[in-house]
Amino acid sequence: MSTSTSTSTAPSTVLAISGSIRTDSHNTRLLRAAQKFNTGQEIEIYEGLRDIPPYDQDLDTPDRRPAAVNELRRRVMEADGLLISTPEFNYSIPGVLKNALDWLSTDWTRTEGLPMNRKPTAILGAAPTNFGTVRAQLALRQVFVWTDNDVVVKPEVHVFRSHERFDAEGNLTDEVTIELLQLLLTNLQSKIDEAKSTRS
């Protein structure tokens, strides 16, 4: 198994977000696999996507935002990096994920900072079809141009025919996918290390 090249004494923290709120989501299973096969990071899966209300600019100030939104913004700000696993809906990003990103993309008061600005970020996704998640990941990368996330470019992890890559208990068993996942996490760690060295 690969090991992290980070020189920090404490492991890097990565907040993982699944674009699917389905109970048996393959994308959430991928994030659990990232926890199992991680390359030295502490990966925490965010489970509050269902609680994020529709974006409302009238409420998008520090004193008016819903508590669930403020909590998500805080956790993104505090994380060293992001890991986002997304399915594809109608050739694009699921609405629940895009809605959360909209809440994370603003600082109208210019006092808080932008939660995702230059945040090291890795993208992956799973789908039971041959091409699902490909267009969603492209759409997600386009969003991150605006939010200025520092996105890992390679490898592109498109887990097609995903139902064949997990066992009955939901464990990722496909060795090629595991290797790609670990390479993605290693490259995410490199970006995290670069960000930490810039701040120091």
Side-chain angles (χ1 to χ4, degrees), residues 82-96:
L82 297 177
L83 179 66
I84 298 181
S85 184
T86 184
E88 182 175 305
F89 286 0
N90 299 320
Y91 282 17
S92 191
I93 311 164
V96 289

Side-chain angles (χ1 to χ4, degrees), residues 19-154:
S20 173
I21 57 177
R22 190 172 65 89
T23 301
D24 198 28
S25 164
H26 290 177
N27 285 277
T28 303
R29 287 182 178 184
L30 263 186
L31 297 182
R32 294 195 188 105
Q35 288 179 316
K36 179 178 180 179
F37 298 110
N38 77 85
T39 55
Q41 305 90 353
E42 286 186 356
I43 299 175
E44 182 177 1
I45 298 176
Y46 175 70
E47 297 180 346
L49 199 62
R50 191 187 298 272
D51 301 323
I52 303 295
Y55 179 77
D56 184 343
Q57 189 172 341
D58 288 340
L59 300 180
D60 193 10
T61 59
D63 58 332
R64 300 193 68 192
R65 284 191 201 104
V69 173
N70 276 329
E71 174 68 6
L72 174 60
R73 287 174 64 98
R74 179 190 66 78
R75 291 175 69 178
V76 169
M77 290 280 282
E78 292 179 355
D80 294 315
L82 297 177
L83 179 66
I84 298 181
S85 184
T86 184
E88 182 175 305
F89 286 0
N90 299 320
Y91 282 17
S92 191
I93 311 164
V96 289
L97 177 58
K98 178 59 164 59
N99 180 61
L101 297 177
D102 289 345
W103 279 111
L104 290 167
S105 67
T106 60
D107 177 16
W108 302 113
T109 63
R110 300 184 184 276
T111 60
E112 305 170 281
L114 295 165
M116 296 193 293
N117 184 53
R118 303 310 301 157
K119 182 72 65 175
T121 302
I123 300 168
L124 71 165
T129 61
N130 287 329
F131 297 102
T133 194
V134 174
R135 286 163 292 233
Q137 290 190 42
L138 286 173
L140 195 53
R141 290 176 191 275
Q142 192 169 27
V143 171
F144 287 153
V145 171
W146 171 252
T147 56
D148 204 21
N149 291 54
D150 186 11
V151 180
V152 175
V153 177
K154 295 286 182 68

